[in-house]
């Protein structure tokens, strides 16, 4: 399934789409204006999140494992309407608790943490 990924898989600002992903030009453009890349990524994020949910929903398997950065898991699970119901945060890293409070929906996991969600309806919640 990785063969279908484009060579440049990261978000590139519209004004820099002409640059080759394997050359020095893309690296130089990022070094000169990282904010442009961050803004392009943020502008495309919700669409990419919706595309991920659609792709997961189209998967015929009943058991799915998603391995990703914690922020993506937090936003993904939040978009699916999941809420972390663990109120005892006495042994939790404070940064994940702060993210959970800033984003009331979603599972904001600590490094290496795993969760199992059963019978999840893969439909985005508005």
């Amino acid at each position: 399934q990785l063969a279908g990924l484009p060579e440049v898989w990261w978000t590139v600002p519209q004004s820099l789409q002409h640059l080759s992903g394997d050359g020095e030009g893309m690296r130089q453009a990022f070094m000169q204006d990282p904010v442009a890349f961050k803004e392009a990524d943020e502008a495309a994020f919700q669409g990419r999140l919706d595309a991920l949910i659609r792709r997961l929903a189209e998967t015929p398997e009943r058991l799915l494992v998603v391995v990703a950065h914690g922020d993506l898991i937090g936003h993904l699970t939040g978009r699916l309407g999941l809420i972390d119901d663990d109120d005892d945060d006495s042994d939790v890293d404070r940064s994940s608790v702060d993210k959970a409070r800033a984003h009331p929906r979603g599972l904001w996991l600590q490094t290496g943490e795993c969760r199992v969600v059963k019978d999840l309806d893969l439909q985005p919640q508005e």
Side-chain angles (χ1 to χ4, degrees), residues 105-116:
R105 292 183 355 176
L107 304 176
W108 296 89
L109 309 180
Q110 297 181 69
T111 300
E113 184 178 359
C114 297
R115 295 284 181 96
V116 174

Side-chain angles (χ1 to χ4, degrees), residues 13 28-40:
Q28 285 294 331
F30 177 80
M31 297 301 289
Q32 290 175 357
D33 193 2
V35 172
F37 283 81
K38 184 176 190 311
E39 289 172 349

